[in-house]
Each structure stands twice: as C-alpha cells, then as structure tokens.
Amino acid sequence: MTQQQIQAIFDGTVITIEITAVSVVLGFILAMFVALGRLSKNRIIRGISWFYIWFFRGTPLLLQLFMVFYAVPIIYLDYTGQTLNMDPMVTSYITYTLNTTAYMAEIIRAAIESIPEGQMEAAKALGMTYGQAMRRIIIPQTYRRLVAPIGNELIILLKDTSLVSSIALSDLLRTTRTLANSSGSWLYYVYAAAIYLFMTTLLQLGTDQLEKRLGVYERR
Amino acid sequence: MNEDKLKEVQNGLEDSEKSMVRVEELRKQFGNLEVLKGIDLDVKKGEVVCIIGPSGSGKSTLLRCLNRLERLTSGKIYVENELTEDRVNGRTVSKIDSDKISRLNLDIGMVFQNFNLFPHLTVLENVMIAPQIVKKINKDDAYNTAIQVLERVGLADKKDEYPIRLSGGQQQRVAIARAIAMDPKIMLFDEPTSALDPELVGEVLETMKELAETGMTMIVVTHEIGFAREVADRVIFMDEGVICEEGGPQEVILNPKKERTQAFLNKIL
C-alpha cells in the first residue's frame, strides 16, 4: 500500500469515528429527555415522545439520511426561496443523533422502569421532589443496567455509519471500496473488516469493564 | 415546687395533649374497591399506636395516605393541627398552600417493609443524602448527624458498606437511621419486620423500642403482637377497611371485646 492509500483509509476511519462519537454523546443526552417524556404524567409530552420514537425507529436510516440531505434543502427552497446546501458531515451528525436517540430513549425508559417502585417512594417519604429523586436516586441506579444495551447500540451505530457513503462521504467503507475497485485487490475489504473489528473489540472490552466498575455496589 | 418547674410540667401536660396526626372520615378507593371505609384517628404527641389486623384490612394504605404516597378519596388529614388534605370523591376541596404541605410532610418519617435503602449509596450516604438535598444542610453537619443517628442504631462501624453487604436487620436499622436523620416528629412503620428472618426481628424491634422511649410519636403497622403489647400506648385492630376495636394493649390484646378481634388474635397467637 502506498502512503496515500494508508492516509485515505485513516481519514475514512476518522470520519466513521467522528460520526459515531458525536451522535452517541448527543443522542444519549437527548434520549434521557425523550425517555423522561415517555414517563411523563403530561399526556401531550408523552405523546410527542411516543411519536418521535415511533417515527425514527419505524423508518429506514437511509431514508432519514436522504430526507435530511435532499428533502430538507428542497423544503427550505420552497418556503424561503433560498438555496441551502447540506454539508454531508453535518447531515450525518444530525441524522445519526436523531436516529440513535429513539433507540436509546427506549433503552433508558426500560431501565428506569426496572428500578423498584419502593425507591421512588422512599425518596418521596424523605421529602425529595420527583426531579431530585430521579437525578439522585433512580437514574444513577440505571447506569450499570444501561451499559450493555447502550454498548450494543453503539456497536450497531458504528457499523451503520457505513451508510453515509450514499451521501458522498468518504468514510472507511467507501474509501475501501474505491481502493478495491481501482486496484482490483480484494485485500482492502479484509483491511476494512479488521479495522471495524478492532474498533468494536475496543468498545466491547470497554463496556465490559465499565459494567463491572458501575456494579460495584451490587456485589456482596 | 417553683414556678418555672410548674410551667414546665404544665407545658409537658399540654404537649402530651397535642394532636400530631388527625384523620377524619378517611376513605380510599382503588377503582371500585373501597379499601378504607371511613377512618377516624387522632394520634397525640409521644404516643405509640400499633395497628394490627389481617392482610388486606387497609392498614398499610392508611399509613401511605398519611404521608401522601397514596392520595385519599375523601376525608381530612391534619398534621400538627394543620389541615394537609381535604378531599371529597377524589377531588381536593380546600386549596392548601403546597409549601406548607411539603413542610409538614417533612415532619413525617417512614420505614418500609422492604427497607428501600438506596443500593447505589453507602450506609453513610443513605443517611446523609436527604438532609443535604432536601433540607440543604451542609456536608459537615449532615455527616455529624448521620454518625450520631447511626450510633443510635448501633451501625456507625458499617458506615462505608453498601446496603447489600448488610443483613436484613441491619438494613432496616439503617432505614430507621435514615428516617430519623431528617428529624421527624412522627414516624410511620409499615410492617418493619415482616421481611426479616425470625432471628433478625429482635434487633429491629429493640431499635424501635428505644426510639419510642425517646418520646417519638409512632404509628406502627405490625404483626408483632408481643411488641404491641409491650410498647404501644394504644392498639388498633383494623378489619375490612374500618377500625374494629381500639384501646390500651391490655384491653385489645388480652381482653378483646369484638368477635373478629378474638378470631384474629387466636389465629396468630
């Protein structure tokens, strides 16, 4: 491989990591709100959260990418008469964040609901408000339970970023395909597989470790 | 006797007449099921009231209504002679300032059947957290109070353990410490020993007895008839959502007048 090719694969890998990292962090924060919205006593807030999850889990990720990349500029043009160019990178950040938020919200909601009701009652009996009880008592107890399913989602997300090649982003997979096509060598696909595996292995080891550390209070 | 002393005694007498919790015509419905069918109860300062009765008689629901874990369907609740609940058919009829309700609710501590300690916090943190975030007490003071109440229940040496490493009896004693760290005036106990192995019941009852001796007002839902006999000032027998019989432990436990009370006591003694 030439220096140039290695550089190209490296750049592609960075794009893959960037999209994954940004959308996981933003998605987790948003998902916390959507999950609390799903558990809200207010019917409208509950409805909005339900609708959000329903839409983003119920439509293909690729379709969502196209909607942000192609449909949004057209809608913008129709309403304002001005052109809008969506940057592929920004498109990816937005789409992957919105998409993963829906999945993570359901994970977080389920984790919150798995905490025994007595915990909220004890907190209230001590005079805590709902918000204090959630922040200090309920949500901290979900962390360990969140690690495995969120890790799962993180690995799926990392691999799903390969769809950005369809909006002309040179991520790891697209770079690999270009190199393979131009050289006629299948070896590039093996390199790509190895890099994906390397990243997912790190994630898996990391989440295993984190789960152990967060579960320290559950060991007798 | 000098005048100051006299005043003190008089104050003491007035104090013991002071109503801490009063309930009027309390009804609670879950759907079509009426669990409490008009309860009247007045608990005076320093009084220890034990509520006994078969499961499903509404004992726990009554306690849970007192500290608002359940909302009553109709009736009135007064805490320290101040109205905190006034409802008719599931609707609040007297608007009561919510700050006042929160303040009075802080005077009521509760101990649960399943302890409900916070598993992710150490013993010390369990006891410190509410004074810190609810009462905004600074960390040092909260720490000192926590150590003090843990010493009272004999568990200061376990302060850095997580609850899971304690026995059930120790966990329940921490739960009692956690409640009294908030300096309540009334303590509610909802079957505090029912989830414990038999050999651990004694230590929890002992802790409760010591608390009673300090003059704490206590309402205890329990199946421990021996404890009720020894510690209670008043025993209430509840059945099917009503107070069936009440009086001193000698009367209710040793000489029950109602047939239902007799039948219940025969079954469990």
Side-chain angles (χ1 to χ4, degrees):
Chain A
M1 263 200 290
T2 66
Q3 183 73 38
Q4 226 172 355
Q5 287 172 331
I6 292 174
Q7 185 65 45
I9 290 177
F10 179 80
D11 290 345
T13 309
V14 168
I15 287 177
T16 296
I17 293 172
E18 274 174 356
I19 296 169
T20 308
V22 168
S23 47
V24 155
V25 172
L26 294 181
F28 186 76
I29 296 166
L30 282 177
M32 202 54 101
F33 290 103
V34 178
L36 289 174
R38 278 273 274 152
L39 297 168
S40 168
K41 280 196 185 121
N42 184 316
R43 204 187 289 176
I44 296 165
I45 295 176
R46 228 168 41 227
I48 293 170
S49 307
W50 184 91
F51 180 85
Y52 180 91
I53 292 167
W54 172 75
F55 181 81
F56 280 97
R57 286 202 313 181
T59 54
L61 178 54
L62 192 56
L63 171 71
Q64 293 165 17
L65 264 180
F66 287 164
M67 282 177 79
V68 177
F69 195 61
Y70 298 117
V72 168
I74 296 171
I75 295 168
Y76 190 78
L77 183 68
D78 284 352
Y79 277 89
T80 66
Q82 286 169 325
T83 53
L84 172 76
N85 269 327
M86 286 302 287
D87 175 67
M89 213 52 196
V90 173
T91 302
S92 305
Y93 290 151
I94 293 173
T95 313
Y96 283 89
T97 298
L98 292 179
N99 182 270
T100 197
T101 294
Y103 287 93
M104 287 193 191
E106 282 296 89
I107 293 170
I108 294 170
R109 178 185 64 85
I112 290 174
E113 285 185 326
S114 77
I115 305 298
E117 216 167 316
Q119 293 291 308
M120 181 55 93
E121 291 184 349
K124 283 197 172 158
L126 287 165
M128 291 185 210
T129 62
Y130 177 84
Q132 287 174 327
M134 269 293 168
R135 261 197 326 278
R136 304 295 296 268
I137 306 298
I138 308 294
I139 290 173
Q141 288 184 54
T142 66
Y143 291 155
R144 192 200 59 80
R145 299 173 197 212
L146 286 177
V147 175
I150 295 283
N152 211 12
E153 173 61 18
L154 184 53
I155 287 173
I156 292 172
L157 185 67
L158 179 86
K159 294 180 299 176
D160 277 355
T161 53
S162 55
L163 289 176
V164 297
S165 59
S166 58
I167 54 168
L169 254 185
S170 297
D171 73 319
L172 175 56
L173 187 64
R174 187 183 165 105
T175 309
T176 312
R177 204 177 57 199
T178 313
L179 293 174
N181 284 346
S182 59
S183 68
S185 167
W186 52 268
L187 259 180
Y188 290 99
Y189 293 119
V190 179
Y191 297 150
I195 294 172
Y196 276 114
L197 273 172
F198 177 71
M199 292 191 289
T200 51
T201 306
L202 286 185
L203 288 177
Q204 194 166 328
L205 293 177
T207 50
D208 285 354
Q209 214 43 46
L210 189 60
E211 199 171 355
K212 261 193 208 133
R213 193 171 307 170
L214 289 174
V216 71
Y217 61 83
E218 287 177 345
R219 280 196 294 278
R220 281 170 203 277
Chain B
M1 204 186 283
N2 64 38
E3 235 167 78
D4 282 351
K5 263 259 172 68
L6 194 67
K7 223 173 221 168
E8 224 170 78
V9 172
Q10 276 173 344
N11 281 344
L13 280 176
E14 275 166 28
D15 250 20
S16 68
E17 287 304 306
K18 189 186 174 193
S19 166
M20 293 305 280
V21 186
R22 194 162 81 247
V23 167
E24 286 172 7
E25 262 301 297
L26 191 158
R27 289 173 186 276
K28 173 67 188 176
Q29 257 171 302
F30 292 106
N32 282 329
L33 183 72
E34 194 169 35
V35 181
L36 295 173
K37 301 172 183 165
I39 302 281
D40 290 289
L41 177 67
D42 188 357
V43 179
K44 305 278 190 225
K45 187 165 188 219
E47 204 180 8
V48 177
V49 176
C50 282
I51 306 179
I52 59 173
S55 0
S57 57
K59 317 179 294 284
S60 293
T61 308
L62 173 60
L63 274 201
R64 294 164 59 83
C65 283
L66 294 182
N67 75 343
R68 301 175 86 86
L69 288 179
E70 304 281 357
R71 298 303 295 279
L72 44 149
T73 309
S74 350
K76 287 181 182 154
I77 297 179
Y78 296 84
V79 177
E80 295 162 62
N81 284 321
E82 300 213 50
L83 187 67
T84 60
E85 286 266 45
D86 184 5
R87 286 160 74 85
V88 174
N89 291 328
R91 283 175 200 287
T92 298
V93 285
S94 306
K95 193 102 179 76
I96 303 158
D97 177 41
S98 67
D99 285 345
K100 194 175 96 179
I101 291 173
S102 320
R103 180 169 48 77
L104 289 168
N105 218 27
L106 281 187
D107 286 342
I108 305 178
M110 183 150 182
V111 172
F112 298 86
Q113 181 175 353
N114 297 317
F115 331 135
N116 292 340
L117 289 182
F118 306 131
H120 62 304
L121 303 178
T122 63
V123 165
L124 185 66
E125 290 164 342
N126 262 278
V127 180
M128 281 173 68
I129 189 165
Q132 278 186 283
I133 69 174
V134 177
K135 288 194 160 174
K136 317 282 182 211
I137 287 170
N138 72 50
K139 205 172 172 187
D140 289 342
D141 290 345
Y143 177 85
N144 291 335
T145 311
I147 294 294
Q148 233 171 47
V149 293
L150 283 171
E151 271 165 3
R152 264 173 78 179
V153 302
L155 287 169
D157 57 324
K158 301 278 186 201
K159 68 178 167 51
D160 296 320
E161 295 282 5
Y162 284 106
I164 201 168
R165 299 199 186 103
L166 305 183
S167 73
Q170 290 172 330
Q171 289 192 41
Q172 192 61 298
R173 282 150 63 200
V174 173
I176 294 172
R178 179 177 70 176
I180 55 182
M182 288 296 281
D183 198 20
K185 295 181 180 156
I186 306 142
M187 285 279 286
L188 311 178
F189 292 84
D190 187 8
E191 301 199 28
T193 57
S194 298
L196 294 175
D197 291 335
E199 77 270 21
L200 302 175
V201 169
E203 59 184 85
V204 172
L205 293 181
E206 194 51 42
T207 304
M208 289 166 61
K209 203 176 135 190
E210 283 166 22
L211 190 61
E213 281 161 6
T214 66
M216 177 68 78
T217 310
M218 291 165 56
I219 306 177
V220 185
V221 169
T222 187
H223 292 294
E224 296 293 330
I225 300 300
F227 175 82
R229 229 173 88 181
E230 194 186 344
V231 182
D233 297 306
R234 180 153 46 122
V235 175
I236 290 176
F237 173 71
M238 272 181 75
D239 195 20
E240 292 180 359
V242 294
I243 292 180
C244 190
E245 184 164 355
E246 69 179 304
Q250 299 297 325
E251 301 164 49
V252 179
I253 295 172
L254 297 179
N255 297 304
K257 292 187 183 54
K258 298 272 172 60
E259 235 170 81
R260 279 194 292 184
T261 319
Q262 285 166 7
F264 173 74
L265 288 166
N266 281 337
K267 244 184 258 168
I268 63 165
L269 284 178

